[in-house]
Amino acid sequence: MLFDYDSELARYHERLRQALDIRPGDRVLDIGCGTGQTTREAARAASPGAVLGIDVSGPMLARARHLAEREGLRNTGFVQADAQTHAFPPQEFSLAMSRFGTMFFSDPALGFANIGQALRPGARLVQLVWQAADLQDWHTAIRAALAPGPPASLPVPRADDAFALADPHVVAGTLTAAGFTAVDVVDVREPVYYGPDIERALAGVLRLRMAKEWLTDLDAPSAERALDRLRATLDAHDTGDGVWFDSRAWLVTARRR
């Protein structure tokens, strides 16, 4: 079963939608499209233009294609590939967008240069990326529950890490070197949603790669204690209207030269 990123990121989705300003006739590239919520919404706004969603996950793209077909969207396309190296048609798109899908490039400079060559001169890039790990309640609280112990210094984010684009100066420099101008980085703070109650939030968290990694090396009794701590953490974040964690992101916009 897939983790429900659309529900988790609902508040950020609204912020991204406001920033995109998609116009009829736009040709849009959706980077790291997942199950295609952003792709489908862009397709409706861009009609009679078109949207291409790209992602590395086959199961997510299968879901994205199914939902687009069910909604009768004929101006969407999906490709399973790495946007860092995929051979996009040159100057094909008038807008590129990403909702937390660009942080996992193994080589960000190469990735953004490849996206840049797919954009028309003057085309916009609009993306959301996570700020630093220690500013993410969903990361620090869940990590404390599943991997307790003396707090260690957080590692320097590596390429293909969720926090690889946490430094706004690095982001601006990388985009500028890749052929973008007018780079703007805006602080955005919204809560993220993990489920309507503790048990469903627990099931959701355990689908996440980070949770699986932190539990991997634990023996059975240690794992059970970790899950008990996680339940307590989720209970502490249950607002009565679902389980929510604080978070911070950057809304990054730029233009292709």
Side-chain angles (χ1 to χ4, degrees):
M1 188 173 182
L2 299 173
F3 181 79
D4 187 0
Y5 289 104
D6 292 340
S7 294
E8 181 201 21
L9 301 172
R11 299 285 185 88
Y12 282 110
H13 185 75
E14 291 303 316
R15 300 294 290 268
L16 180 65
R17 176 192 288 161
Q18 293 167 17
L20 287 172
D21 190 27
I22 298 173
R23 305 296 177 87
D26 271 338
R27 297 191 64 83
V28 184
L29 173 62
D30 187 5
I31 306 153
C33 66
T35 55
Q37 180 189 38
T38 47
T39 315
R40 298 192 308 277
E41 289 202 1
R44 286 189 284 269
S47 180
V51 186
L52 177 67
I54 182 169
D55 203 285
V56 296
S57 171
M60 285 190 170
L61 288 174
R63 177 71 174 158
R65 292 186 182 101
H66 169 75
L67 292 173
E69 182 177 349
R70 189 178 72 180
E71 295 177 18
L73 294 171
R74 300 179 181 275
N75 61 334
T76 60
F78 297 96
V79 60
Q80 184 177 355
D82 185 348
Q84 175 176 297
T85 56
H86 182 67
F88 296 108
Q91 299 188 13
E92 173 72 11
F93 301 100
S94 57
L95 172 68
M97 58 185 282
S98 181
R99 190 185 68 184
F100 301 105
T102 56
M103 300 98 59
F104 301 101
F105 292 145
S106 60
D107 185 338
L110 176 63
F112 285 116
N114 192 47
I115 290 164
Q117 67 83 31
L119 295 176
R120 301 168 185 170
R124 297 171 65 234
L125 169 65
V126 182
Q127 60 180 328
L128 282 164
V129 301
W130 293 121
Q131 293 189 31
D134 60 354
L135 299 177
Q136 313 300 340
D137 188 28
W138 56 269
H139 183 270
T140 57
I142 292 172
R143 185 182 189 280
L146 296 182
S153 60
L154 290 168
V156 175
R158 66 183 192 275
D160 81 356
D161 183 280
F163 310 108
L165 299 177
D167 186 331
H169 301 292
V170 171
V171 173
T174 301
L175 288 174
T176 300
F180 290 89
T181 188
V183 180
D184 189 33
V185 183
V186 176
D187 179 25
V188 182
R189 183 173 185 174
E190 294 287 356
V192 291
Y193 177 76
Y194 273 57
D197 53 50
I198 296 169
E199 288 307 314
R200 279 180 280 188
L202 176 65
V205 168
L206 294 180
R207 295 187 195 108
L208 294 170
R209 183 180 72 175
M210 67 177 186
K212 294 175 182 177
E213 289 176 350
W214 290 331
L215 287 169
T216 294
D217 295 329
L218 299 182
D219 59 29
S222 298
E224 189 56 40
R225 289 192 294 271
L227 292 177
D228 287 341
R229 290 191 299 269
L230 180 56
R231 286 189 180 91
T233 297
L234 296 173
D235 182 55
H237 287 79
D238 190 344
T239 65
D241 188 30
V243 178
W244 296 83
F245 287 84
D246 194 19
S247 70
R248 300 189 77 144
W250 298 119
L251 177 64
V252 183
T253 57
R255 284 192 181 275
R256 183 74 174 98
R257 286 197 189 96

mmCIF file of all heavy atoms in Angstrom, residues 69-112:
data_model
loop_
_atom_site.group_PDB
_atom_site.id
_atom_site.type_symbol
_atom_site.label_atom_id
_atom_site.label_comp_id
_atom_site.label_asym_id
_atom_site.label_seq_id
_atom_site.Cartn_x
_atom_site.Cartn_y
_atom_site.Cartn_z
ATOM 1 N N GLU A 69 -6.976 8.705 -16.154
ATOM 2 C CA GLU A 69 -7.927 8.086 -17.076
ATOM 3 C C GLU A 69 -9.336 8.143 -16.502
ATOM 4 O O GLU A 69 -10.297 8.445 -17.220
ATOM 5 C CB GLU A 69 -7.525 6.635 -17.344
ATOM 6 C CG GLU A 69 -8.419 5.921 -18.333
ATOM 7 C CD GLU A 69 -7.957 4.507 -18.629
ATOM 8 O OE1 GLU A 69 -6.831 4.139 -18.229
ATOM 9 O OE2 GLU A 69 -8.738 3.766 -19.265
ATOM 10 N N ARG A 70 -9.467 7.871 -15.223
ATOM 11 C CA ARG A 70 -10.782 7.898 -14.584
ATOM 12 C C ARG A 70 -11.410 9.286 -14.646
ATOM 13 O O ARG A 70 -12.625 9.428 -14.783
ATOM 14 C CB ARG A 70 -10.661 7.446 -13.126
ATOM 15 C CG ARG A 70 -12.003 7.229 -12.442
ATOM 16 C CD ARG A 70 -11.820 6.733 -11.027
ATOM 17 N NE ARG A 70 -11.328 7.785 -10.144
ATOM 18 C CZ ARG A 70 -11.087 7.599 -8.845
ATOM 19 N NH1 ARG A 70 -11.231 6.398 -8.291
ATOM 20 N NH2 ARG A 70 -10.654 8.602 -8.095
ATOM 21 N N GLU A 71 -10.556 10.313 -14.571
ATOM 22 C CA GLU A 71 -11.061 11.687 -14.612
ATOM 23 C C GLU A 71 -11.192 12.222 -16.037
ATOM 24 O O GLU A 71 -11.572 13.369 -16.243
ATOM 25 C CB GLU A 71 -10.138 12.594 -13.788
ATOM 26 C CG GLU A 71 -10.159 12.249 -12.301
ATOM 27 C CD GLU A 71 -9.196 13.086 -11.484
ATOM 28 O OE1 GLU A 71 -8.750 14.151 -11.980
ATOM 29 O OE2 GLU A 71 -8.891 12.683 -10.341
ATOM 30 N N GLY A 72 -10.876 11.402 -17.024
ATOM 31 C CA GLY A 72 -11.047 11.793 -18.412
ATOM 32 C C GLY A 72 -10.077 12.849 -18.888
ATOM 33 O O GLY A 72 -10.391 13.611 -19.819
ATOM 34 N N LEU A 73 -8.892 12.877 -18.295
ATOM 35 C CA LEU A 73 -7.897 13.886 -18.676
ATOM 36 C C LEU A 73 -7.050 13.356 -19.830
ATOM 37 O O LEU A 73 -6.213 12.472 -19.654
ATOM 38 C CB LEU A 73 -7.014 14.217 -17.473
ATOM 39 C CG LEU A 73 -7.728 14.913 -16.311
ATOM 40 C CD1 LEU A 73 -6.827 14.991 -15.088
ATOM 41 C CD2 LEU A 73 -8.193 16.306 -16.718
ATOM 42 N N ARG A 74 -7.261 13.921 -20.993
ATOM 43 C CA ARG A 74 -6.551 13.471 -22.192
ATOM 44 C C ARG A 74 -5.264 14.264 -22.441
ATOM 45 O O ARG A 74 -4.525 13.936 -23.376
ATOM 46 C CB ARG A 74 -7.486 13.580 -23.409
ATOM 47 C CG ARG A 74 -8.750 12.732 -23.278
ATOM 48 C CD ARG A 74 -9.643 12.903 -24.505
ATOM 49 N NE ARG A 74 -10.860 12.123 -24.387
ATOM 50 C CZ ARG A 74 -10.976 10.847 -24.704
ATOM 51 N NH1 ARG A 74 -9.920 10.187 -25.166
ATOM 52 N NH2 ARG A 74 -12.133 10.206 -24.564
ATOM 53 N N ASN A 75 -5.019 15.286 -21.652
ATOM 54 C CA ASN A 75 -3.834 16.130 -21.879
ATOM 55 C C ASN A 75 -2.756 15.872 -20.819
ATOM 56 O O ASN A 75 -1.964 16.751 -20.505
ATOM 57 C CB ASN A 75 -4.211 17.611 -21.899
ATOM 58 C CG ASN A 75 -4.825 18.094 -20.591
ATOM 59 O OD1 ASN A 75 -5.408 17.307 -19.846
ATOM 60 N ND2 ASN A 75 -4.722 19.390 -20.321
ATOM 61 N N THR A 76 -2.745 14.650 -20.271
ATOM 62 C CA THR A 76 -1.693 14.258 -19.344
ATOM 63 C C THR A 76 -0.879 13.116 -19.949
ATOM 64 O O THR A 76 -1.396 12.286 -20.695
ATOM 65 C CB THR A 76 -2.257 13.773 -17.997
ATOM 66 O OG1 THR A 76 -3.097 12.637 -18.220
ATOM 67 C CG2 THR A 76 -3.041 14.867 -17.306
ATOM 68 N N GLY A 77 0.387 13.081 -19.579
ATOM 69 C CA GLY A 77 1.253 11.959 -19.927
ATOM 70 C C GLY A 77 2.144 11.665 -18.741
ATOM 71 O O GLY A 77 2.410 12.554 -17.917
ATOM 72 N N PHE A 78 2.598 10.432 -18.624
ATOM 73 C CA PHE A 78 3.465 10.045 -17.508
ATOM 74 C C PHE A 78 4.612 9.202 -18.039
ATOM 75 O O PHE A 78 4.431 8.373 -18.932
ATOM 76 C CB PHE A 78 2.686 9.247 -16.460
ATOM 77 C CG PHE A 78 1.578 10.025 -15.804
ATOM 78 C CD1 PHE A 78 0.269 9.921 -16.266
ATOM 79 C CD2 PHE A 78 1.845 10.867 -14.738
ATOM 80 C CE1 PHE A 78 -0.758 10.639 -15.666
ATOM 81 C CE2 PHE A 78 0.824 11.598 -14.131
ATOM 82 C CZ PHE A 78 -0.475 11.484 -14.592
ATOM 83 N N VAL A 79 5.795 9.425 -17.460
ATOM 84 C CA VAL A 79 6.958 8.646 -17.858
ATOM 85 C C VAL A 79 7.714 8.214 -16.607
ATOM 86 O O VAL A 79 7.892 9.014 -15.681
ATOM 87 C CB VAL A 79 7.875 9.453 -18.811
ATOM 88 C CG1 VAL A 79 8.377 10.730 -18.152
ATOM 89 C CG2 VAL A 79 9.038 8.614 -19.286
ATOM 90 N N GLN A 80 8.103 6.946 -16.574
ATOM 91 C CA GLN A 80 8.915 6.446 -15.464
ATOM 92 C C GLN A 80 10.376 6.623 -15.825
ATOM 93 O O GLN A 80 10.929 5.914 -16.673
ATOM 94 C CB GLN A 80 8.607 4.978 -15.176
ATOM 95 C CG GLN A 80 9.372 4.441 -13.966
ATOM 96 C CD GLN A 80 9.023 3.011 -13.635
ATOM 97 O OE1 GLN A 80 8.126 2.413 -14.244
ATOM 98 N NE2 GLN A 80 9.722 2.440 -12.662
ATOM 99 N N ALA A 81 11.015 7.578 -15.176
ATOM 100 C CA ALA A 81 12.413 7.896 -15.489
ATOM 101 C C ALA A 81 12.938 8.846 -14.427
ATOM 102 O O ALA A 81 12.177 9.400 -13.620
ATOM 103 C CB ALA A 81 12.530 8.531 -16.876
ATOM 104 N N ASP A 82 14.240 9.037 -14.436
ATOM 105 C CA ASP A 82 14.906 9.992 -13.550
ATOM 106 C C ASP A 82 14.995 11.322 -14.275
ATOM 107 O O ASP A 82 15.641 11.422 -15.330
ATOM 108 C CB ASP A 82 16.292 9.451 -13.203
ATOM 109 C CG ASP A 82 17.023 10.312 -12.189
ATOM 110 O OD1 ASP A 82 16.572 11.444 -11.911
ATOM 111 O OD2 ASP A 82 18.065 9.852 -11.675
ATOM 112 N N ALA A 83 14.377 12.358 -13.734
ATOM 113 C CA ALA A 83 14.396 13.671 -14.384
ATOM 114 C C ALA A 83 15.798 14.244 -14.494
ATOM 115 O O ALA A 83 16.046 15.138 -15.318
ATOM 116 C CB ALA A 83 13.498 14.649 -13.622
ATOM 117 N N GLN A 84 16.720 13.725 -13.712
ATOM 118 C CA GLN A 84 18.104 14.200 -13.786
ATOM 119 C C GLN A 84 18.753 13.879 -15.123
ATOM 120 O O GLN A 84 19.566 14.659 -15.635
ATOM 121 C CB GLN A 84 18.918 13.566 -12.655
ATOM 122 C CG GLN A 84 20.392 13.889 -12.688
ATOM 123 C CD GLN A 84 21.135 13.320 -11.498
ATOM 124 O OE1 GLN A 84 20.862 13.693 -10.368
ATOM 125 N NE2 GLN A 84 22.069 12.409 -11.747
ATOM 126 N N THR A 85 18.374 12.755 -15.720
ATOM 127 C CA THR A 85 19.056 12.294 -16.940
ATOM 128 C C THR A 85 18.114 12.023 -18.106
ATOM 129 O O THR A 85 18.588 11.733 -19.215
ATOM 130 C CB THR A 85 19.830 10.999 -16.634
ATOM 131 O OG1 THR A 85 18.924 10.028 -16.089
ATOM 132 C CG2 THR A 85 20.942 11.254 -15.628
ATOM 133 N N HIS A 86 16.804 12.088 -17.894
ATOM 134 C CA HIS A 86 15.859 11.766 -18.964
ATOM 135 C C HIS A 86 16.041 12.712 -20.156
ATOM 136 O O HIS A 86 16.264 13.914 -19.993
ATOM 137 C CB HIS A 86 14.422 11.860 -18.448
ATOM 138 C CG HIS A 86 13.402 11.496 -19.469
ATOM 139 N ND1 HIS A 86 13.256 10.220 -19.963
ATOM 140 C CD2 HIS A 86 12.459 12.248 -20.104
ATOM 141 C CE1 HIS A 86 12.274 10.187 -20.845
ATOM 142 N NE2 HIS A 86 11.780 11.408 -20.949
ATOM 143 N N ALA A 87 15.922 12.166 -21.362
ATOM 144 C CA ALA A 87 16.105 12.962 -22.584
ATOM 145 C C ALA A 87 14.806 13.678 -22.948
ATOM 146 O O ALA A 87 14.034 13.235 -23.800
ATOM 147 C CB ALA A 87 16.555 12.059 -23.731
ATOM 148 N N PHE A 88 14.552 14.810 -22.311
ATOM 149 C CA PHE A 88 13.383 15.624 -22.637
ATOM 150 C C PHE A 88 13.591 16.315 -23.976
ATOM 151 O O PHE A 88 14.730 16.661 -24.336
ATOM 152 C CB PHE A 88 13.168 16.705 -21.567
ATOM 153 C CG PHE A 88 12.846 16.205 -20.198
ATOM 154 C CD1 PHE A 88 13.786 16.295 -19.180
ATOM 155 C CD2 PHE A 88 11.612 15.653 -19.917
ATOM 156 C CE1 PHE A 88 13.499 15.852 -17.908
ATOM 157 C CE2 PHE A 88 11.310 15.206 -18.640
ATOM 158 C CZ PHE A 88 12.258 15.299 -17.635
ATOM 159 N N PRO A 89 12.530 16.564 -24.720
ATOM 160 C CA PRO A 89 12.670 17.387 -25.929
ATOM 161 C C PRO A 89 13.156 18.781 -25.554
ATOM 162 O O PRO A 89 12.671 19.371 -24.585
ATOM 163 C CB PRO A 89 11.246 17.435 -26.500
ATOM 164 C CG PRO A 89 10.538 16.267 -25.891
ATOM 165 C CD PRO A 89 11.145 16.074 -24.541
ATOM 166 N N PRO A 90 14.109 19.337 -26.282
ATOM 167 C CA PRO A 90 14.630 20.669 -25.947
ATOM 168 C C PRO A 90 13.539 21.745 -26.037
ATOM 169 O O PRO A 90 12.706 21.741 -26.949
ATOM 170 C CB PRO A 90 15.717 20.907 -27.005
ATOM 171 C CG PRO A 90 16.088 19.542 -27.491
ATOM 172 C CD PRO A 90 14.832 18.729 -27.415
ATOM 173 N N GLN A 91 13.537 22.633 -25.041
ATOM 174 C CA GLN A 91 12.646 23.794 -25.009
ATOM 175 C C GLN A 91 11.178 23.411 -25.244
ATOM 176 O O GLN A 91 10.438 24.115 -25.925
ATOM 177 C CB GLN A 91 13.110 24.836 -26.036
ATOM 178 C CG GLN A 91 14.504 25.351 -25.763
ATOM 179 C CD GLN A 91 14.907 26.512 -26.654
ATOM 180 O OE1 GLN A 91 14.083 27.116 -27.346
ATOM 181 N NE2 GLN A 91 16.189 26.845 -26.655
ATOM 182 N N GLU A 92 10.770 22.335 -24.607
ATOM 183 C CA GLU A 92 9.414 21.810 -24.785
ATOM 184 C C GLU A 92 8.402 22.468 -23.856
ATOM 185 O O GLU A 92 7.242 22.647 -24.208
ATOM 186 C CB GLU A 92 9.428 20.297 -24.531
ATOM 187 C CG GLU A 92 8.060 19.640 -24.512
ATOM 188 C CD GLU A 92 7.434 19.543 -25.891
ATOM 189 O OE1 GLU A 92 8.131 19.789 -26.895
ATOM 190 O OE2 GLU A 92 6.230 19.228 -25.967
ATOM 191 N N PHE A 93 8.833 22.910 -22.668
ATOM 192 C CA PHE A 93 7.884 23.269 -21.611
ATOM 193 C C PHE A 93 7.941 24.756 -21.283
ATOM 194 O O PHE A 93 9.005 25.395 -21.311
ATOM 195 C CB PHE A 93 8.176 22.458 -20.344
ATOM 196 C CG PHE A 93 8.087 20.967 -20.561
ATOM 197 C CD1 PHE A 93 9.240 20.211 -20.742
ATOM 198 C CD2 PHE A 93 6.857 20.328 -20.615
ATOM 199 C CE1 PHE A 93 9.160 18.841 -20.951
ATOM 200 C CE2 PHE A 93 6.773 18.962 -20.826
ATOM 201 C CZ PHE A 93 7.927 18.218 -20.992
ATOM 202 N N SER A 94 6.770 25.299 -20.930
ATOM 203 C CA SER A 94 6.670 26.696 -20.514
ATOM 204 C C SER A 94 6.680 26.844 -18.999
ATOM 205 O O SER A 94 6.753 27.964 -18.489
ATOM 206 C CB SER A 94 5.393 27.323 -21.083
ATOM 207 O OG SER A 94 4.238 26.591 -20.667
ATOM 208 N N LEU A 95 6.593 25.744 -18.270
ATOM 209 C CA LEU A 95 6.592 25.760 -16.811
ATOM 210 C C LEU A 95 7.063 24.408 -16.304
ATOM 211 O O LEU A 95 6.634 23.367 -16.819
ATOM 212 C CB LEU A 95 5.185 26.057 -16.280
ATOM 213 C CG LEU A 95 4.950 25.935 -14.777
ATOM 214 C CD1 LEU A 95 5.715 27.023 -14.024
ATOM 215 C CD2 LEU A 95 3.453 26.025 -14.456
ATOM 216 N N ALA A 96 7.944 24.415 -15.300
ATOM 217 C CA ALA A 96 8.314 23.190 -14.584
ATOM 218 C C ALA A 96 7.917 23.365 -13.131
ATOM 219 O O ALA A 96 8.068 24.450 -12.556
ATOM 220 C CB ALA A 96 9.808 22.907 -14.705
ATOM 221 N N MET A 97 7.418 22.294 -12.533
ATOM 222 C CA MET A 97 6.933 22.362 -11.162
ATOM 223 C C MET A 97 7.354 21.104 -10.410
ATOM 224 O O MET A 97 7.595 20.048 -11.006
ATOM 225 C CB MET A 97 5.405 22.470 -11.148
ATOM 226 C CG MET A 97 4.711 21.308 -11.844
ATOM 227 S SD MET A 97 2.913 21.476 -11.958
ATOM 228 C CE MET A 97 2.449 21.023 -10.294
ATOM 229 N N SER A 98 7.443 21.229 -9.088
ATOM 230 C CA SER A 98 7.752 20.060 -8.279
ATOM 231 C C SER A 98 7.286 20.286 -6.851
ATOM 232 O O SER A 98 7.602 21.318 -6.247
ATOM 233 C CB SER A 98 9.244 19.752 -8.289
ATOM 234 O OG SER A 98 9.502 18.595 -7.514
ATOM 235 N N ARG A 99 6.558 19.310 -6.317
ATOM 236 C CA ARG A 99 6.149 19.322 -4.914
ATOM 237 C C ARG A 99 7.011 18.300 -4.187
ATOM 238 O O ARG A 99 6.698 17.130 -4.130
ATOM 239 C CB ARG A 99 4.653 18.980 -4.794
ATOM 240 C CG ARG A 99 4.057 19.182 -3.412
ATOM 241 C CD ARG A 99 2.621 18.699 -3.354
ATOM 242 N NE ARG A 99 2.534 17.234 -3.478
ATOM 243 C CZ ARG A 99 1.387 16.561 -3.541
ATOM 244 N NH1 ARG A 99 0.229 17.212 -3.558
ATOM 245 N NH2 ARG A 99 1.387 15.240 -3.637
ATOM 246 N N PHE A 100 8.153 18.766 -3.693
ATOM 247 C CA PHE A 100 9.100 17.925 -2.950
ATOM 248 C C PHE A 100 9.598 16.748 -3.791
ATOM 249 O O PHE A 100 9.746 15.637 -3.289
ATOM 250 C CB PHE A 100 8.467 17.415 -1.646
ATOM 251 C CG PHE A 100 8.020 18.519 -0.718
ATOM 252 C CD1 PHE A 100 6.677 18.839 -0.584
ATOM 253 C CD2 PHE A 100 8.953 19.241 0.002
ATOM 254 C CE1 PHE A 100 6.265 19.866 0.260
ATOM 255 C CE2 PHE A 100 8.561 20.270 0.854
ATOM 256 C CZ PHE A 100 7.204 20.581 0.981
ATOM 257 N N GLY A 101 9.894 17.011 -5.057
ATOM 258 C CA GLY A 101 10.372 15.941 -5.924
ATOM 259 C C GLY A 101 11.765 16.139 -6.488
ATOM 260 O O GLY A 101 12.245 15.296 -7.238
ATOM 261 N N THR A 102 12.433 17.242 -6.119
ATOM 262 C CA THR A 102 13.737 17.522 -6.718
ATOM 263 C C THR A 102 14.906 17.293 -5.758
ATOM 264 O O THR A 102 16.061 17.458 -6.146
ATOM 265 C CB THR A 102 13.814 18.985 -7.207
ATOM 266 O OG1 THR A 102 13.530 19.854 -6.110
ATOM 267 C CG2 THR A 102 12.827 19.234 -8.339
ATOM 268 N N MET A 103 14.628 16.905 -4.506
ATOM 269 C CA MET A 103 15.707 16.804 -3.515
ATOM 270 C C MET A 103 16.542 15.545 -3.688
ATOM 271 O O MET A 103 17.590 15.411 -3.062
ATOM 272 C CB MET A 103 15.140 16.807 -2.085
ATOM 273 C CG MET A 103 14.348 18.054 -1.746
ATOM 274 S SD MET A 103 12.572 17.791 -1.942
ATOM 275 C CE MET A 103 12.224 16.456 -0.838
ATOM 276 N N PHE A 104 16.093 14.617 -4.520
ATOM 277 C CA PHE A 104 16.719 13.297 -4.561
ATOM 278 C C PHE A 104 17.653 13.092 -5.753
ATOM 279 O O PHE A 104 18.058 11.968 -6.026
ATOM 280 C CB PHE A 104 15.629 12.215 -4.531
ATOM 281 C CG PHE A 104 14.772 12.314 -3.303
ATOM 282 C CD1 PHE A 104 13.522 12.900 -3.361
ATOM 283 C CD2 PHE A 104 15.230 11.838 -2.079
ATOM 284 C CE1 PHE A 104 12.728 13.015 -2.218
ATOM 285 C CE2 PHE A 104 14.453 11.939 -0.941
ATOM 286 C CZ PHE A 104 13.202 12.530 -1.011
ATOM 287 N N PHE A 105 17.979 14.173 -6.466
ATOM 288 C CA PHE A 105 18.963 14.053 -7.540
ATOM 289 C C PHE A 105 20.308 13.640 -6.942
ATOM 290 O O PHE A 105 20.767 14.236 -5.963
ATOM 291 C CB PHE A 105 19.137 15.378 -8.274
ATOM 292 C CG PHE A 105 17.938 15.821 -9.073
ATOM 293 C CD1 PHE A 105 17.634 17.160 -9.174
ATOM 294 C CD2 PHE A 105 17.138 14.901 -9.726
ATOM 295 C CE1 PHE A 105 16.543 17.583 -9.927
ATOM 296 C CE2 PHE A 105 16.048 15.314 -10.475
ATOM 297 C CZ PHE A 105 15.741 16.653 -10.573
ATOM 298 N N SER A 106 20.971 12.658 -7.546
ATOM 299 C CA SER A 106 22.316 12.304 -7.097
ATOM 300 C C SER A 106 23.313 13.397 -7.454
ATOM 301 O O SER A 106 24.344 13.554 -6.802
ATOM 302 C CB SER A 106 22.748 10.970 -7.712
ATOM 303 O OG SER A 106 22.762 11.061 -9.126
ATOM 304 N N ASP A 107 22.983 14.176 -8.485
ATOM 305 C CA ASP A 107 23.818 15.309 -8.909
ATOM 306 C C ASP A 107 22.882 16.479 -9.216
ATOM 307 O O ASP A 107 22.398 16.618 -10.343
ATOM 308 C CB ASP A 107 24.633 14.928 -10.145
ATOM 309 C CG ASP A 107 25.611 16.014 -10.574
ATOM 310 O OD1 ASP A 107 25.398 17.189 -10.206
ATOM 311 O OD2 ASP A 107 26.583 15.695 -11.280
ATOM 312 N N PRO A 108 22.570 17.329 -8.211
ATOM 313 C CA PRO A 108 21.608 18.417 -8.430
ATOM 314 C C PRO A 108 21.981 19.347 -9.576
ATOM 315 O O PRO A 108 21.102 19.793 -10.328
ATOM 316 C CB PRO A 108 21.600 19.152 -7.088
ATOM 317 C CG PRO A 108 22.011 18.126 -6.089
ATOM 318 C CD PRO A 108 23.014 17.267 -6.806
ATOM 319 N N ALA A 109 23.262 19.637 -9.736
ATOM 320 C CA ALA A 109 23.674 20.529 -10.829
ATOM 321 C C ALA A 109 23.291 19.938 -12.181
ATOM 322 O O ALA A 109 22.755 20.629 -13.061
ATOM 323 C CB ALA A 109 25.179 20.785 -10.758
ATOM 324 N N LEU A 110 23.554 18.652 -12.349
ATOM 325 C CA LEU A 110 23.195 17.975 -13.590
ATOM 326 C C LEU A 110 21.685 17.921 -13.759
ATOM 327 O O LEU A 110 21.157 18.147 -14.854
ATOM 328 C CB LEU A 110 23.779 16.558 -13.593
ATOM 329 C CG LEU A 110 23.427 15.668 -14.793
ATOM 330 C CD1 LEU A 110 23.981 16.270 -16.072
ATOM 331 C CD2 LEU A 110 23.971 14.262 -14.574
ATOM 332 N N GLY A 111 20.982 17.631 -12.661
ATOM 333 C CA GLY A 111 19.531 17.522 -12.732
ATOM 334 C C GLY A 111 18.868 18.818 -13.155
ATOM 335 O O GLY A 111 18.021 18.833 -14.061
ATOM 336 N N PHE A 112 19.250 19.929 -12.535
ATOM 337 C CA PHE A 112 18.614 21.200 -12.882
ATOM 338 C C PHE A 112 19.053 21.694 -14.256
ATOM 339 O O PHE A 112 18.282 22.350 -14.962
ATOM 340 C CB PHE A 112 18.883 22.237 -11.799
ATOM 341 C CG PHE A 112 18.074 22.005 -10.556
ATOM 342 C CD1 PHE A 112 18.686 21.696 -9.356
ATOM 343 C CD2 PHE A 112 16.692 22.075 -10.592
ATOM 344 C CE1 PHE A 112 17.944 21.466 -8.210
ATOM 345 C CE2 PHE A 112 15.931 21.853 -9.449
ATOM 346 C CZ PHE A 112 16.564 21.545 -8.252
#
